[in-house]
Amino acid sequence: MGKSIVQKILEEHIVEGKWDPGKEIGIKIDQTLTQDATGTMAYLQFEAMGVPRVKTELSVSYVDHNTVQIGFENADDHKYLQTVAAKYGIIYSRAGNGICHQVHLERFGKPGKTLLGSDSHTPTGGGIGMIAIGAGGLDVAVAMAGGPFYLTCPKVIKVNLKGRLKPWCSAKDVVLKMLEIFTTKGNVGCVFEYGGPGVETLSVPERATITNMGAECGVTTSVFPSDEITKAFLKAQAREKDWVEIKADSDAEYWKEIDLDLSEIVPLTAYPHSPGNIKTVKELEGMKVDQVCLGSCTNSSYKDLMTAAKILKGKTVHPDVSFVVAPGSRQVLQNITRDGGLEILLSAGARIAETACGFCIGNSQSPRTNAVSLRTSNRNFLGRSGTKSANVYLVSPETAAAAVITGEMTDPRDLEKMGIKYPVVELPERFYIDDSMFIYPSEHPEKIEIYRGPNIGNPPASQPLPENIQGEVTIKVGDKITTDHIIPAGSKMKYRSNVPKYSEFLFEVVDSTFYERAKNIRDSGRDNIIVGGESYGQGSSREHAALCPMFMGVKAVIAKSLERIHMANLINFGIIPLTFKNEKDYDKIEQGDELSIPNIREIIEKGGILKVKNVSKNFEFEVEYNLSDRQKEIILAGGTLAYMKNKSEKMLKEV
Ligand code: MIC
Ligand code: SF4
């Protein structure tokens, strides 16, 4: 039987286990990336491992999230990251150089390699034919130290692309269609592999838009073949030597296959407050728009910005609209400047923002109260824009540009009626390339002193799993709770390196009393327990959604289902993830109920049925713990750092 692309690349990297979908495997990681908001914690943990130099082929530390420097905190973090990179053999991409995923695709991504990134949109690299996976910072730190990355060997879903996109319809609409088909839940443990004749009609940045937002479906990653189009992109980046062909065998078998006809794709939008809420743009036609934001790691490439610029040529931004453009990288900005796009955008009245995440994570350009904001980004979770009452719609650059002109939701195909022709944008044969904002590691690491400002604190230590868990349901939440609900980003993100302070904002958008209540429970010697619905922990890779609860004394999360990265982060920080055996038990529990899980340590160690007693309501229910032997050991030890320490002490004794 032939092999899929996913199987081919993974098999080449497996160091523990074997190709067997559903079972845990450990893989070698060739490249890592971190960004500043998750990076500080990742490098503090890496430092704690005592490894003198990273062991990967390539590791890059990007600064792109916390670039708004109000107060000293972010600048302190940048300096810390710069010195760590110099000392440990990591390339440092300075603030201003661009969003990690866009820059990595341009300058470092290589077909056939594995990439692990401390950001959930790392699968952007799948656009160039790599297996690129998002993970918590601690997992990335372990990979930098040469350790394997553990994941569930995935079930591969083949997406057969046919036909060609019609004018005004774009890669963003394709991935929004995927979200309509697959939704944001129920895809844990799967990978989307794209194939079929439609693939060759899509450029690498378009493929990357599609793999980027696969993250919203909850898949482990998404991947495209590496073909002549990939080769042309790498050539345009002066990196043709990095090209290798990667394709599936013609008789490869898949867990599931679907067909998607690109010629049937129409302009789509995700309406508030989930990327899975899909409607056609036509259905919302005429809705007044207050803000349009073009950028983010999903849609900030040369093609995206040049397309919008050509649509806006000679026009002025509608008087009721604030139009923000954040180019994905300095390279994109330099190239649209060379090719005249920047001038058109400026003349139209665009507000050019820094080449960074910016508006996407709500740390700038928060819209007005009750605003309708059209964004080309990938997430429209409640409050993520920084304005809780705002309604964010996710759209393509074409739909965004149409609204900039009309001031309302407009199907971009209707621009033809206004005499605007569809702009065909080809990628340059050779991009203007300038790598001067990368700082390469020092050749004299012994001379580098790590800078630690007052904002940098060591990660708090976790505790081994207790004999019994005894405590209270501190919060009961519904379905699809995202990590943005658990711990907000935006203006609070500057406390990423200060866990006690950042913890004060836990569950802020859902219930602002959480912190005080959790603190009282913890300080009275009892355990905090979180009860969640389906797909708990969707969204980002931020390990603070586990680290801060750990700091607050959360010992268990009991949910109907959990998302991959968040579940791994909970385990890394010694919080046991449990699922209801019978989902109806969820309905019987209330916030404030006293729960006890007797003998949990013994049961995790030796096996057996795990029962939870609801002391307040006087009933008992069963929960499941779907953990590999390795994960059980981590939970028993109280998290990955403690587990690694125990393991190396044991090894030393044996020597
Ligand atoms: C996001 O888009 O939510 C982020 C901010 O990039 C996160 C990482 C973080 O919280 O720092 C992600 O996607 O993993
Ligand atoms: Fe940055 Fe937004 Fe992409 Fe996250 S989704 S990496 S915040 S641009």
Side-chain angles (χ1 to χ4, degrees):
M1 191 184 71
K3 292 180 182 176
S4 64
I5 294 174
V6 179
Q7 183 175 356
K8 284 186 184 181
I9 303 180
L10 284 181
E11 270 187 347
E12 255 185 40
H13 288 85
I14 289 180
V15 288
E16 272 182 56
K18 63 174 178 34
W19 177 264
D20 187 1
K23 295 273 156 52
E24 190 174 79
I25 49 172
I27 58 167
K28 174 184 176 288
I29 294 298
D30 302 321
Q31 302 189 345
T32 63
L33 70 77
T34 55
Q35 41 92 337
D36 50 326
T38 54
T40 48
M41 218 29 89
Y43 292 112
L44 284 165
Q45 293 167 141
F46 177 77
E47 282 189 88
M49 291 170 197
V51 177
R53 212 71 178 166
V54 291
K55 297 197 171 145
T56 45
E57 288 173 15
L58 173 102
S59 287
V60 191
S61 171
Y62 293 92
V63 176
D64 54 0
H65 279 63
N66 283 332
T67 55
V68 178
Q69 292 160 226
I70 301 175
F72 60 90
E73 293 89 347
N74 294 341
D76 271 359
D77 284 359
H78 301 172
K79 195 73 199 164
Y80 166 73
L81 293 170
Q82 184 174 344
T83 52
V84 166
K87 194 171 184 75
Y88 292 105
I90 299 151
I91 298 174
Y92 181 68
S93 176
R94 299 163 72 176
N97 209 26
I99 305 174
C100 54
H101 309 303
Q102 174 68 27
V103 180
H104 205 86
L105 194 72
E106 291 166 355
R107 304 308 303 142
F108 301 114
K110 282 190 191 172
K113 297 281 178 186
T114 52
L115 165 69
L116 193 71
S118 62
D119 192 281
S120 64
H121 290 107
T122 305
T124 312
I128 209 163
M130 9 177 31
I131 292 291
I133 303 177
L138 183 49
D139 284 335
V140 178
V142 171
M144 287 190 290
F149 172 66
Y150 294 92
L151 72 158
T152 307
C153 183
K155 293 182 260 186
V156 186
I157 301 175
K158 168 91 180 285
V159 186
N160 276 312
L161 297 179
K162 295 197 277 190
R164 173 183 287 276
L165 285 167
K166 294 251 168 68
W168 303 103
C169 305
S170 73
K172 180 61 156 283
D173 301 311
V174 176
V175 71
L176 291 174
K177 186 73 195 172
M178 286 293 287
L179 274 149
E180 186 181 67
I181 299 169
F182 287 94
T183 78
T184 61
K185 55 187 174 70
N187 307 305
V188 173
C190 298
V191 171
F192 292 143
E193 177 173 314
Y194 290 86
V199 164
E200 65 185 41
T201 69
L202 299 169
S203 64
V204 166
E206 286 170 302
R207 297 174 184 185
T209 295
I210 295 171
T211 58
N212 170 286
M213 243 185 123
E216 274 48 71
C217 292
V219 289
T220 306
T221 190
S222 305
V223 68
F224 272 83
S226 167
D227 54 10
E228 289 300 317
I229 306 282
T230 322
K231 192 181 192 177
F233 177 78
L234 284 168
K235 194 161 175 225
Q237 290 288 347
R239 296 204 289 126
E240 52 269 58
K241 63 171 185 357
D242 290 341
W243 183 75
V244 286
E245 187 179 39
I246 313 265
K247 60 177 184 184
D249 292 333
S250 54
D251 58 344
E253 268 189 25
Y254 293 89
W255 180 65
K256 205 174 180 175
E257 286 195 47
I258 67 153
D259 290 336
L260 204 58
D261 189 344
L262 295 174
S263 63
E264 282 175 8
I265 299 284
V266 298
L268 295 173
T269 180
Y271 62 90
H273 296 287
S274 168
N277 294 344
I278 307 295
K279 279 190 199 286
T280 62
V281 169
K282 267 255 169 298
E283 281 174 87
L284 294 168
E285 214 165 46
M287 179 181 67
K288 293 276 172 252
V289 170
D290 304 285
Q291 185 190 49
V292 176
C293 300
L294 175 61
S296 91
C297 57
T298 321
N299 278 125
S300 59
S301 68
Y302 174 88
K303 186 171 196 293
D304 293 326
L305 268 57
M306 283 306 283
T307 303
K310 288 193 171 180
I311 297 171
L312 295 173
K313 185 154 193 197
K315 303 276 185 266
T316 302
V317 177
H318 188 279
D320 294 333
V321 173
S322 170
F323 176 41
V324 181
V325 179
S329 68
R330 186 161 156 272
Q331 187 192 85
V332 168
L333 185 54
Q334 285 170 321
N335 281 276
I336 66 163
T337 306
R338 178 186 73 178
D339 297 345
L342 180 64
E343 201 200 328
I344 303 175
L345 291 168
L346 277 175
S347 304
R351 301 172 62 182
I352 306 295
E354 195 177 3
T355 52
C357 299
F359 70 82
C360 175
I361 194 54
N363 63 16
S364 63
Q365 303 293 346
S366 297
R368 71 160 171 80
T369 310
N370 297 326
V372 168
S373 175
L374 263 52
R375 297 173 167 222
T376 62
S377 43
N378 43 38
R379 291 184 175 148
N380 56 348
F381 302 144
L382 179 71
R384 182 172 162 105
S385 67
T387 305
K388 199 172 166 187
S389 64
N391 285 309
V392 175
Y393 294 75
L394 306 176
V395 296
S396 69
E398 290 80 356
T399 304
V404 168
I405 298 171
T406 63
E408 51 192 49
M409 186 73 111
T410 305
D411 187 321
R413 292 171 295 181
D414 292 341
L415 291 178
E416 301 258 1
K417 293 182 203 149
M418 295 165 58
I420 301 174
K421 285 220 175 64
Y422 176 66
V424 180
V425 174
E426 299 292 346
L427 293 194
E429 267 180 35
R430 179 61 66 116
F431 287 99
Y432 172 78
I433 296 161
D434 167 5
D435 286 338
S436 59
M437 290 290 276
F438 293 113
I439 300 180
Y440 295 90
S442 169
E443 280 168 18
H444 300 286
E446 69 291 348
K447 292 198 184 140
I448 305 286
E449 216 177 290
I450 308 272
Y451 172 85
R452 288 173 219 278
N455 191 42
I456 313 269
N458 278 330
S462 56
Q463 302 299 323
L465 184 70
E467 298 304 329
N468 312 301
I469 291 180
Q470 191 82 41
E472 186 170 322
V473 178
T474 326
I475 192 161
K476 180 183 174 187
V477 287
D479 291 345
K480 298 209 278 187
I481 287 296
T482 72
T483 51
D484 280 86
H485 291 105
I486 302 171
I487 190 92
S491 58
K492 320 289 166 25
M493 220 163 35
K494 67 178 181 182
Y495 300 120
R496 282 286 174 92
S497 310
N498 182 345
V499 172
K501 178 72 193 163
Y502 196 34
S503 299
E504 290 175 19
F505 306 105
L506 273 167
F507 287 106
E508 198 191 33
V509 264
V510 185
D511 176 353
S512 57
T513 66
F514 176 87
Y515 172 73
E516 281 304 327
R517 293 187 298 104
K519 188 163 167 281
N520 289 339
I521 293 171
R522 179 194 65 187
D523 295 349
S524 67
R526 293 187 306 142
D527 301 324
N528 283 291
I529 298 166
I530 295 170
V531 171
E534 268 188 70
S535 201
Y536 181 81
Q538 282 193 350
S540 92
S541 68
R542 71 189 66 141
E543 60 190 358
H544 293 77
L547 181 53
C548 296
M550 177 201 90
F551 176 70
M552 296 310 297
V554 172
K555 286 287 186 308
V557 171
I558 311 174
K560 289 187 186 168
S561 65
L562 288 122
E563 290 297 306
R564 175 187 67 88
I565 307 181
H566 186 58
M567 176 161 158
N569 285 338
L570 289 173
I571 295 169
N572 277 345
F573 292 100
I575 298 177
I576 187 158
L578 302 168
T579 48
F580 289 98
K581 175 122 202 271
N582 178 355
E583 286 190 3
K584 291 210 175 86
D585 290 325
Y586 168 89
D587 302 326
K588 298 190 205 154
I589 303 175
E590 268 180 292
Q591 192 161 305
D593 281 357
E594 185 73 27
L595 300 188
S596 92
I597 318 181
N599 303 326
I600 183 161
R601 191 172 174 92
E602 195 184 327
I603 293 171
I604 297 300
E605 232 164 358
K606 301 192 180 138
I609 292 172
L610 196 56
K611 287 190 181 150
V612 181
K613 280 190 189 149
N614 186 327
V615 181
S616 311
K617 302 246 159 33
N618 198 20
F619 73 95
E620 219 176 49
F621 59 96
E622 260 182 53
V623 286
E624 294 188 323
Y625 49 99
N626 191 6
L627 304 170
S628 68
D629 289 345
R630 184 188 60 88
Q631 289 171 323
K632 282 182 196 162
E633 279 186 50
I634 295 176
I635 286 286
L636 290 167
T640 295
L641 280 182
Y643 163 78
M644 285 171 68
K645 200 164 159 258
N646 291 353
K647 239 180 132 176
S648 56
E649 276 167 10
K650 215 168 125 201
M651 270 161 63
L652 281 179
K653 267 193 208 141
E654 279 165 11
V655 173

